[in-house]
Structure formats: structure tokens, C-alpha cells
Amino acid sequence: MNISYKWLKEYVDFDLTPQETADALTSTGLEVDALEEVQAIKGGLKGLFVGKVLTCEAHPNSDHLHITTVDLGKGEPQQIVCGAPNVAAGQKVIVADLGCVLYDGDKEFVIKKSKLRGVESLGMICAEDEIGVGTDHAGIMVLPEEAVVGTPAAEYFHLESDWLIDIDITANRADALSHYGVARDLYAWLVQRGYQTSLHRPDCSKFVVDNEDLPIDVEIENHEACKRYACVSITDCEVKESPKWLQEKLTTVGLRPINNIVDITNYILMAYGQPMHCFDADMVTGHKIVVRTQPEGTKFVTLDGEEHILGEHDLSICNAEEPMCIAGIFGGKGSGTYETTRNVVLESAYFHPTWIRKSARRHGLSTDSSFRFERGVDPNGTIYALKQAAILCKELAGGKVSMQIKDVYPEPLPNFPVRLNYEYCDRLIGKRLGGETIKSIATSLEMKIEGEDANGLDLVVPAYRVDVQRPCDVVEDILRIYGYNNVEIPTQLKSSLTVPDEHDKEHRLINIVSEQLVGCGFNEILNNSMSKSSYYDHDELNAYRWANTVKVMNPLSADLGVMRQSLVFGGLESLARNINRKRSNLKFFEVGNAYHYDPEKDDHDNSIVAYTQESHLALWITGKRVEGSWAHPDEDTSFYELKAYVENILRRVGVAGGMVVSSQSENNLFSEALVLKNRGGKVLCEYGKLTKKVCHTCGVEKDVYYADINWTAVMKAIKKNKVEFKELSKYPAVSRDLALLIDSNVEFAQIEQIARQSEKKLLKEVDLFDVYQGKNLPAGKKSYAVNFILEDEERTLNDKQIDAIMQKIIKNLTNKLGAELR
């Protein structure tokens, strides 16, 4: 938000420097991002002085040049060669001294010592246009006799620079989106610090209805979207260039002057924060304005020539036949004000912020008006702004007010009643301000005190303060005017000690696993929890149905239309971005939430019960595991590499092998995968190779191995785990291998499960170290080489015990799986 320092002084009396003003505004919460000097004339007339021509003689080598001596009030007169036809002895003139910089548009030139036709010249006597104070170039600028020699030109012309204050307005401070709005805060700050000041703005006494020649009727059909609409007609206007003072105000704050009528509406916007629109009265067919929505599919062309499709969610300002404007956002082509316009209709309204925000996003339009309407303008400032605009139209365009103001305001918006207790205020601030200070600040911020007792105040907050509706909001307002820096830091620190809970444990384990993965060459990624609707709306994935998707009610775009059910697509997008930039060997991991909606649990009385959120840890690997090494041949990533990472993670957080059951995954996200479940059947992890179709969805053409660890389920699985330390066994472990011939559909998980059921105490590990399928084996068979580790922590195992255990395992494998020893 650009604020003019000089413009600000029109509404509040103060003598602070621009920098002091910026510091004061920042302390009130209106953070100043930049402070920049704006010169009324480029260069600020530096190096230009009032001089007196003492002598003037014809140049011996020219028929139009003159040799003059000029007194600049600094000692010896200077010789200057001048080509102006009107130069003469005795004149008071403006002289550019040596070193002065003059400007011609974007070009600049420095006045240097020079020779003109052989005669030395030590300066330049200037015309109006050469220094920017006028447009005349017929001759040099001749000043009145009373001009004092040696006076700097900037002082003589009373030239004052303005300062542009760039304020970062937070989204909740709609009231500060104008010069008068900023002036209100500065006024409160000045009052609190004892400055003699006052807050004021022009009154409306000059507003007079001249005739009733152009009455305009107003009808509001949609009262939800439009709470108030007012208009007035102005006839016999001369649309022309705005006066210099108005153009300077607008250009200072970054607006381009267009014509006097449009500039007036922009002036009102920047001055008082009320967006306005001016219609050519000839476009108001039937002399009636109707505020309504449009049938779905209505085509509308805006002032910039772009066509938009309007619908029932777009509020329009219409004449008796067709829309003229998208309410609060953009005017229509042909309905604006042009040089041929003679009669105009000025609009001032209050539109519902949500309606304007949704329409602006839907059509990709963002204007100064929509920016303010979206945040909430002052509903009670509508008529004031309309009258001020009408007064300026009479003064600057010679128009006549040709109707009584038509103001349709069926349900006035109320102010906000707030009860503020002194004790609550002191407790929230951390310092006792006292009742008088609180009342002084509240009243200086235009809050009305309706009642008062020993405990606090009954306040009425004006409707334009949409961000102040609760006691804590009032305290925030009081504190920012009082000054955050005026609240002393206490010498004592009062704190409450907390006992670590499950969330602390979860956070600690996440950090441990993240460090473990980084040590294995992974990079952590972070993707948006909102995802593309297209990933889920086809119901091709059996694990992620469209019906179970959490939809975003007001999405910014289709790319952010739903909450993600899985982290897989965000990771694939990250892979695609890196692969497209020649980074093909990748290992990513992400910790984030996945969201699920169960329509069967939908409860009208408790709508949140149908929604769940779980934390997940996801891994992606693709490309080469080893590439370009002199010590190792190139090797692709594989399922087994991913399996090792997953098992190491689970082992590190305390999920032992006996706690999980492994089986083939039926999730068609994968072409082949395993699923790990706890004994209760809850999925802890799925990992495997993604299908090519899923990879292609995100633009990845390479094989990708993906693991999805349900971190929430893992944390529940280890919740009751107790970490115990014990000595390493003194007794040796025994290793036995079996070569088993089994059916091709038998999985290693089944072998491991049967082995552990056969011997629960002494069997420590079961590992698969070789798989063979091919010739010399019967059809439909495969060979597994399995290693078994047996250990007794209290004594050395003997051959008899070992053989008994192995025979039991072999017997159970034979009976249950039809296994044969090779």
C-alpha cells in the first residue's frame, strides 16, 4: 500500500519527519517496507539559483548569441553565453551553475565549463521547460524584480519533495487501505504520546442537488451479496485531463491518470478506501440499476477487452437489459467514461467480501477495488465517499448533481459490541496499563464507550474494523498503539514443566530415521498436502477411491482440488522435475499427512468423525544404485535395495520381525509389492515397484520403487515396547541351512511363519539367501535356500537338541507346504 507523506498530512496534524512517521506507523503494526523521496520536479532543482544579468553584449562570432555576466550572489560574476532572444541586462533569471544536472525526459546532461563560438561560458540561463517548471521555450524565464539574487531555485519556487511510504498491510487490516485509514492509526499514536494533533477530513457541506433531470432507480435482487448500494447522477460534465494537483497525487502513489472523472474515483479510493465506479449514463438503459447474478453461461466483455463467462455465483451491476459491470471487480466494455461522455452515474456500494473474493479468483481478476472489497470496506462510509466524489465532479468537470442520492440499505450492518475487562487486558499484555490509558487509546481509535464499571468497559467497535470483534482483538489494538516496546521484559521467567508424551517420542524417532536415511544418500522433500483431483477421480486405484477423497470446498485451482490420500504422487512429481533436469539417480523421502473420508461414517451432528488424518513416511528410489565407480560395476536400483531400507527403518524404531506378517500386496498402485501387517491385521507398510501407468501419470518414464510406511500405525505398534539391555550371550549360535523344493506360489513369509511356530524359544533368525527356478526342477516348483540361526542363552546346544528342532521344522514344512529337501 503506497501512502503519500504530504497527502497523509491533509488528514492529521503532525510535524514528524518522514522517517519518524515511518517508524511510528511500523510501531502501530503498519509495517513500513520502504521510504522513498518523490521529487515534484526531477532533480529537485539542485544547482539552480536566482541570478541577475549585469551586462549583455552581442557575440562577435554569432548573430543570435549574447555574452552576459551574471551575479549569482557568491562573489565574482560569471560569464555565460546565452542564445535566448529576450535576454537583457538588469533581468532576474534562473541560472544553472556548473555541475548542475538538467533532465530532458529520461536523458540528463551536466552543465560544464565550455566554449561557444570561441567564448567561454560558465553556466546556463534557463527557460521554463528546461528546468521543468513550465512548458514555455520562447525565451529565458524572467523573474520579478523582488527576487533575491543567490536564492536556490527550489526555495524560490517553494518546491517540496513528497515521500512515498510503502506499507505492508496485513490481510486483516482492511481499514488501513487508504490515506485516511492510516491517518486514524497515526492520530491515535500521536495522542497516546502527548502530541497536539487533530484528525479531520473535508465535510460534505458543498454537496447540493442542482436539479432532478436524471433520476436513477436502484433495485437489489441479491441482498446476501450486496448489502448496500448507492448512486448519484452528474450531468453536463466535461471529461478532460485532471488538474495537476490530482495527477500528482495519483502518480505519487503509483496510479496512472486517465481523465478527471475516472481520476476522481481513484482519488476517493486512495483517500478514504471506498471503491467507486462511474458509468456513462447513456449506458444505464431504462434509467435503472439492478444488482443481481446472471444465468449460467452469460458472456461478458470487460474494459480490457477480455471475455468472461458469468454465472449464478457472479454478482453483476446491470441496467434494465444487460450487465454493465462485474460487481466490485471490473467494469464492462463501453460502460466506462470517455471523452464523449457528458452524463455519468457514480456508484458507491458495500459488497459481501466472500462473493467478491470468489468471483475475482474465478475470473483471474485482481483490481484495487476487489482487493478492498474482499477484505471488507466501511459500510457506513458509502454516502460520504459518494458526496465527496460528486463535489469534485462539479469542481473539476463543471457537472451538476441531477438527482437525490439513491441509497438502498435494507439491513444496516451493525457495529461490534465488545466487553473488555481490565484484568483480562492486563493479563494478556503482561503489564497493568490502567483504566485511563485503556479508555484514551480506545476512544482515539474511534471505539465508543457505551458503559463503564470498576471491572472494565462496554465498547462499540465501528463496523469498518472487521478485525476487531473479540476482547483479545481490542487488547491487540490497545497494545499496538501503546507500543510493544513499552512493555518491559520481566526479570523473572515463569514456566510450566511438561512431561514428554507420545508426540515427543514420535518426533524423536522421525529425526533419528531422517538422519539414517540421509546417511544412506536420501534427500528429504516436502510437498503440498493439497493435490490434483485427476489423481483420484477415475477410481482406477483400488486403494484410493474418489469417494474417500477429502475435497477442498474453495480450491484455488484444479491442481489443488483435494487433500492427498497418498504421498506417492507428490514424490513422483519431484522425481519428474529432477529427471527433467538431468538428475536421474534419485533417493527421496518425505514425512507428511494423508487424508481419508469415509462416507459411511458421515454424521450430521458430528461431521468430523468421517475424516481421518494419518502420518506417513514415504520412500522413492529410481535410477542407478551404483554408477561410474571403478570398484563396482553399474547396478540398477531394485526391490531388494528398497526392502533393506524399509527393514532397517522398522528395526530401528523397534518393530521386530516377529511383530509383522508379510504377504503379497493387492494394491494396484504397484506392479509387484509386499505388505507388512501387524498381528491385528493393520497395514504398517507397503513397498514395491510402481506400475508404469502410475509413473506416466506424473511424467516419469523410469522404474520407480516406492515404500509407504504408515507412521501413525507404526507408532501405535511400538507404543508398549520397552527397551531392555542385556549382555551378549556367552554361548555360541548354531547355523543350519535347508534347500527346500516348494511350489512356485509359496512365499518365504509362509516358511518363516511355520519355522517360528515350530520353535519359539531357540530360533533367533530365519533368512532366505538363494532362490532358484529353471531347468532340472519339476514344473511349478522352485528352490529356496534358507538359513536358520539357533541359540540358547543359558547353555551350549548339543547335536541332539539341534537335530530335534530341525526335524520338527522340516516336518511342519513338509506337512503344511509340501516342501521337500533337495
Side-chain angles (χ1 to χ4, degrees), residues 397-415:
K400 297 180 178 63
V401 177
S402 297
M403 64 175 283
Q404 297 290 338
I405 289 178
K406 184 69 174 181
D407 182 19
V408 181
Y409 195 16
E411 295 182 14
L413 295 172
N415 296 322

Side-chain angles (χ1 to χ4, degrees), residues 314-358:
D314 297 310
L315 188 68
S316 303
I317 310 301
C318 310
N319 55 33
E321 298 175 354
E322 60 185 355
M324 301 184 293
C325 174
I326 303 177
I329 302 174
F330 220 132
K333 187 175 183 180
S335 67
T337 306
Y338 306 94
E339 291 183 359
T340 56
T341 300
R342 289 294 173 263
N343 305 323
V344 298
V345 177
L346 298 177
E347 163 197 282
S348 184
Y350 178 90
F351 301 116
H352 195 289
T354 303
W355 277 76
I356 302 303
R357 181 170 59 253
K358 287 184 176 181

